[in-house]
Amino acid sequence: MALVVQKYGGSSVADASCIKRVAQRIVATKKAGNDVVVIVSAMGDTTDELLDLAKQVSPLPPGRELDMLLTSGERISMALLAMAIANLGHEARSFTGSQAGVITDSTHGKARIIDVTPGRIQEALGLGHIAIVAGFQGVSQDTKDITTLGRGGSDTTAVALAAALEADVCEIYTDVDGVFTADPRIVPTARQIPRLSFEETLEMAACGAKILHLRCVEYARRFRLPIHVRSSFSSKEGTWVFTDPETEGTEMEQPIISGVAHDRSEAKITVVGVPDKIGEAAAIFKTLADAEINIDMIVQNVSAAATGRTDISFTLPTNDAQTALTALKKIQSKVVFDSLLFDDRIGKVSLIGAGMRSHPGVTATFFSALANAGVNIEMISTSEIRISVVVDEDDVDAAVNAAHQAFELDADEVEAVVYGGSGR
Ligand code: ASP
Ligand code: MG
């Protein structure tokens, strides 16, 4: 008998008939002889709707209350799912994150899991029940308040519980058949990827591929927990993400490029005319760190404006841009830079593949493809298994398609089906 953890995203439980279909799937897994723990997201776009509602009553809702509100979305779907399963003649019990033992720090809106004590889940399994857990939420160890893990956090709940329960597999159900070589909405000929290593998946998640939450992949890698990303609308085998001891660290059978990811959620800030002196960049990035802002790419150039000075550009989540600009203005007189430029019309396109470590020429092929497509590169960053470029927002689709073609990732026929609609 195996212990299977299944996570269903918002599009898989979007309405009553979806919930009934998912209930059947869960019961089938149980009937096959498995213990089943299910993590659910809020129905469809519920979380967005609740956020809208909050904004209507207050421009700046207190974090504690916002978390209280948003976690109600998952409570609705978990209870309905438990009812649908009961209606099929099986015992199911729903649990909030707090009841399931998801213990977090007290940072509202992006809490980190610090412990998982799933006693009640184990008890339910021991009684032969199916356990349904509300995703994306926990309870703070210090304040005992309800917290949320950040948008898309149900993936992380699923992996954290799967690790704590020592599950055999964590299945992440979504509205596409797995992870694709590019977003099928942009590249219709994108192919489904059968197997991915944790490190490639981490790079993809960090580069905007919306299929898995970054922290969930980090967590799964730490515990070496295999993830199976698949569609709740079909029975096709999806994408397996795991540590493959035979190919890990070797170049055996690794495709050079696994996929192309893109991200439109970042903006670029340029600090113009920074004195070219020791410690200036440190002062700038210390200020941003103190404001808890995560920086992505950084480029330093000789200033176009003045000699003896440099321009420092960096990218960050657009949502954090206002905070960053305000923090930097405060140190303008101390660092004595000239001005700040802000550009949110950018997009990032990334090429990811473990095989690029050992294959020269990948960058040249990528950049030639972009040039042939008439796309100008604004910034570049690389890791061992990734090349990312920042381009004009309007060029993102063309850049993704050009890269996809250049590395012959296209399927012979269109195979990507998007079953749901919202993408998660
Ligand atoms: N319902 C939450 C969200 O939409 C969490 C999740 O879906 O994973 O972000
Ligand atoms: Mg969602």
Side-chain angles (χ1 to χ4, degrees):
M1 188 162 72
L3 171 56
V4 179
V5 171
Q6 302 187 325
K7 178 258 171 177
Y8 292 92
S11 55
S12 298
V13 292
D15 57 27
S17 66
C18 286
I19 290 178
K20 281 157 82 176
R21 194 174 39 78
V22 164
Q24 265 164 2
R25 194 164 192 133
I26 294 166
V27 166
T29 310
K30 172 80 181 159
K31 274 194 181 153
N34 302 296
D35 277 338
V36 190
V37 176
V38 177
I39 293 37
V40 275
S41 291
M43 295 168 70
D45 296 326
T46 303
T47 309
D48 289 314
E49 286 157 16
L50 292 172
L51 268 174
D52 279 354
L53 207 51
K55 290 270 150 62
Q56 286 175 42
V57 297
S58 161
L60 213 73
R64 179 189 185 279
E65 302 311 326
L66 198 56
D67 278 357
M68 207 55 138
L69 178 73
L70 295 186
T71 50
S72 69
E74 271 72 10
R75 288 180 74 144
I76 295 173
S77 46
M78 75 177 192
L80 289 172
L81 187 55
M83 291 175 200
I85 293 172
N87 187 51
L88 296 175
H90 285 259
E91 297 276 350
R93 296 286 182 274
S94 64
F95 299 94
T96 63
S98 166
Q99 289 176 318
V102 180
I103 316 290
T104 71
D105 64 16
S106 55
T107 324
H108 286 293
K110 49 176 170 187
R112 293 204 148 256
I113 298 178
I114 49 185
D115 198 9
V116 184
T117 52
R120 294 198 63 185
I121 306 299
Q122 278 154 333
E123 209 177 293
L125 293 177
L127 292 169
H129 298 166
I130 295 166
I132 317 281
V133 179
F136 158 73
Q137 54 180 275
V139 61
S140 156
Q141 193 169 46
D142 311 335
T143 63
K144 306 285 183 259
D145 281 330
I146 299 300
T147 53
T148 61
L149 309 179
R151 295 307 305 270
S154 300
D155 292 355
T156 306
T157 305
V159 168
L161 267 172
L165 294 164
E166 296 179 11
D168 297 281
V169 60
C170 181
E171 299 183 329
I172 305 273
Y173 284 93
T174 177
D175 56 6
V176 289
D177 285 321
V179 182
F180 280 75
T181 50
D183 185 339
R185 294 169 186 88
I186 294 186
V187 185
T189 49
R191 260 190 296 125
Q192 192 234 318
I193 309 171
R195 299 148 66 103
L196 275 174
S197 65
F198 278 120
E199 52 172 358
E200 287 171 309
T201 314
L202 272 178
E203 292 275 14
M204 283 195 174
C207 291
K210 294 199 179 51
I211 203 88
L212 284 174
H213 205 229
L214 178 61
R215 274 164 55 196
C216 132
V217 188
E218 282 171 352
Y219 217 105
R221 177 167 70 164
R222 187 150 16 107
F223 290 93
R224 297 181 152 250
L225 179 81
I227 303 183
H228 186 188
V229 184
R230 57 193 306 196
S231 168
S232 66
F233 296 80
S234 84
S235 53
K236 282 191 205 151
E237 185 89 349
T239 300
W240 282 91
V241 180
F242 52 8
T243 313
D244 185 344
E246 278 180 25
T247 55
E248 177 95 329
T250 76
E251 300 347 308
M252 264 167 58
E253 303 231 24
Q254 286 174 331
I256 302 176
I257 299 303
S258 292
V260 187
H262 72 279
D263 187 356
R264 293 179 216 266
S265 70
E266 292 193 345
K268 180 172 80 175
I269 290 178
T270 303
V271 190
V272 181
V274 181
D276 195 2
K277 286 193 320 218
I278 288 171
E280 300 294 354
I284 288 171
F285 289 104
K286 170 85 170 58
T287 303
L288 296 166
D290 290 346
E292 301 222 18
I293 288 165
N294 261 326
I295 308 298
D296 184 15
M297 290 192 201
I298 304 172
V299 168
Q300 176 173 334
N301 281 328
V302 172
S303 180
T307 48
R309 293 189 174 237
T310 66
D311 292 346
I312 298 180
S313 299
F314 60 89
T315 60
L316 77 176
T318 306
N319 288 339
D320 290 340
Q322 206 43 56
T323 317
L325 290 167
T326 310
L328 289 172
K329 282 211 184 90
K330 284 204 191 118
I331 58 160
Q332 180 161 15
S333 55
K334 213 169 76 209
V335 176
V336 280
F337 58 82
D338 288 341
S339 58
L340 293 170
L341 295 177
F342 173 63
D343 182 1
D344 65 352
R345 296 204 33 79
I346 60 160
K348 183 169 79 168
V349 176
S350 307
L351 202 62
I352 292 132
M356 74 169 72
R357 255 192 208 113
S358 53
H359 283 82
V362 172
T363 311
T365 307
F366 184 26
F367 290 2
S368 308
L370 293 176
N372 293 336
V375 175
N376 184 43
I377 302 171
E378 296 181 22
M379 293 169 102
I380 301 166
S381 87
T382 62
S383 80
E384 261 195 307
I385 62 163
R386 172 186 56 81
I387 307 168
S388 301
V389 295
V390 166
V391 300
D392 188 293
E393 193 173 62
D394 292 336
D395 287 341
V396 169
D397 289 15
V400 172
N401 272 289
H404 200 265
Q405 248 171 36
F407 290 94
E408 293 170 8
L409 295 172
D410 288 344
D412 299 333
E413 49 195 283
V414 174
E415 56 176 57
V417 186
V418 181
Y419 300 92
S422 67
R424 288 198 66 87

